[in-house]
Amino acid sequence: IQSSADGTRIVFNSDAPDLVPNDTNGVSDIFLYDTLLDQLRRLNHGTEGKQSNGPSYSPRIDGLGQTVVFISEADNLVSDDTNAVADVFLYLADYRSIERVSQDLEGYQTITAAQHPALDEAGSIVLYDRADVLGQREICSYDTFTQRTEQLSLEQNLYGDLLDNHRPGISVNGRYVVYLEQARDSQGNPFDCAVHVLDRNIQDFVRQICPEELYGLTDPVPVFSPDGLWIEWRDTPIVLKVSSKVGAEADMSSFRFPNPFTKNTTESP
């Protein structure tokens, strides 16, 4: 579950068939609940209004409640989806339009799956991780204004070890990007887990050894504090159905540490 900055729009995924009429596709869908209008709608409609033919999950919403991104394994949300892998889709709530935003650096559809989307407060920068043909994941950034994709992560470290990069997060103002980075040995086994923080304004980065608490999380999701001073790693929330319209989240566990680019060590609220 995620909400807009003022809490009036909430997005979540659910495989419940009774949240909206005519939900018969038997897979997880993306829903948006408007608390002001007391209105719930399903977002992941296929072309010509057809139901999605594959599961959709991991929704993220911007601060204004206008832009929603999510992962979907469906191939009928847009007309030219023929890659047979999970993609990142962007939904504009006020226009009820949907587009695919995971693409290669030349703007073509990818041949490997995208996962773990993230979205800044303005809804202008979309992050996700995507594996190459060798299974090595990279962090990609999609600019919603220029419609261009950029690779943010490094492919190898100073010792020539390949790097597996995944689970990105972005600060409210879009300045800082964080993700997990793991080196791989010649057999492809991961070692030396690091938290990689990138300052997009100055194009510099800092690495920190993964805190011990991180190993206790099964599917960590990075979240910046509103002021950007702290990074919290949360386990994937458990969504509890508390009514016919909206769910509630309960974090299994989480921890946080200071943003290494900031000097302020005062704990933010």
Side-chain angles (χ1 to χ4, degrees):
I1 284 181
Q2 256 206 340
S3 69
S4 57
D6 62 2
T8 59
R9 286 183 169 180
I10 302 169
V11 292
F12 61 98
N13 63 273
S14 176
D15 57 6
D18 58 348
L19 298 185
V20 294
N22 304 315
D23 186 349
T24 58
N25 59 359
V27 297
S28 176
D29 293 305
I30 306 298
F31 297 90
L32 185 148
Y33 178 61
D34 191 313
T35 62
L36 296 179
L37 301 177
D38 189 24
Q39 181 183 80
L40 180 70
R41 72 172 104 147
R42 181 167 50 165
L43 306 186
N44 56 315
H45 287 293
T47 55
E48 301 178 354
K50 296 179 181 178
Q51 296 189 83
S52 167
N53 62 8
S56 302
Y57 44 90
S58 301
R60 303 288 184 266
I61 191 169
D62 72 344
L64 295 176
Q66 165 62 14
T67 303
V68 178
V69 295
F70 60 91
I71 299 292
S72 182
E73 299 175 24
D75 63 8
N76 67 337
L77 299 187
V78 294
S79 59
D80 57 347
D81 189 347
T82 58
N83 59 359
V85 296
D87 294 300
V88 182
F89 293 89
L90 183 147
Y91 181 91
L92 294 178
D94 289 347
Y95 297 95
R96 303 199 177 199
S97 63
I98 188 170
E99 63 178 302
R100 181 174 53 178
V101 297
S102 52
Q103 58 186 25
D104 64 20
L105 301 184
E106 283 74 41
Y108 298 103
Q109 66 177 347
T110 63
I111 60 174
T112 55
Q115 296 291 339
H116 307 115
L119 185 65
D120 69 345
E121 183 84 354
S124 59
I125 301 296
V126 182
L127 302 180
Y128 57 93
D129 61 56
R130 177 174 61 85
D132 60 19
V133 293
L134 299 177
Q136 179 182 332
R137 288 172 289 185
E138 57 194 21
I139 305 301
C140 296
S141 168
Y142 177 83
D143 190 309
T144 61
F145 294 106
T146 64
Q147 298 184 330
R148 298 188 62 179
T149 298
E150 177 184 4
Q151 180 178 328
L152 300 183
S153 56
L154 303 175
E155 295 182 356
Q156 60 184 23
N157 60 21
L158 294 176
Y159 305 103
D161 300 310
L162 295 179
L163 297 176
D164 182 39
N165 309 286
H166 52 102
R167 291 173 173 79
I170 189 166
S171 62
V172 170
N173 61 7
R175 175 172 180 173
Y176 302 111
V177 169
V178 63
Y179 56 88
L180 295 183
E181 175 189 271
Q182 288 180 290
R184 290 184 177 273
D185 61 23
S186 57
Q187 282 74 44
N189 301 312
F191 67 98
D192 285 351
C193 173
V195 175
H196 186 120
V197 182
L198 169 68
D199 186 331
R200 297 176 64 239
N201 284 8
I202 62 176
Q203 289 298 301
D204 195 11
F205 66 88
V206 175
R207 287 191 183 102
Q208 292 186 327
I209 297 175
C210 288
E212 291 185 6
E213 297 94 332
L214 189 58
Y215 294 96
L217 305 184
T218 57
D219 192 11
V221 177
V223 179
F224 281 89
S225 62
D227 55 16
L229 298 179
W230 293 82
I231 304 167
E232 181 176 12
W233 291 87
R234 302 175 183 173
D235 225 340
T236 300
I238 304 172
V239 177
L240 307 174
K241 188 178 177 183
V242 296
S243 73
S244 62
K245 289 189 174 180
V246 67
E249 69 172 305
D251 288 328
M252 291 181 282
S253 58
S254 66
F255 73 95
R256 65 178 184 167
F257 63 93
N259 181 347
F261 276 105
T262 60
K263 303 297 183 182
N264 191 332
T265 58
T266 301
E267 185 166 328
S268 58

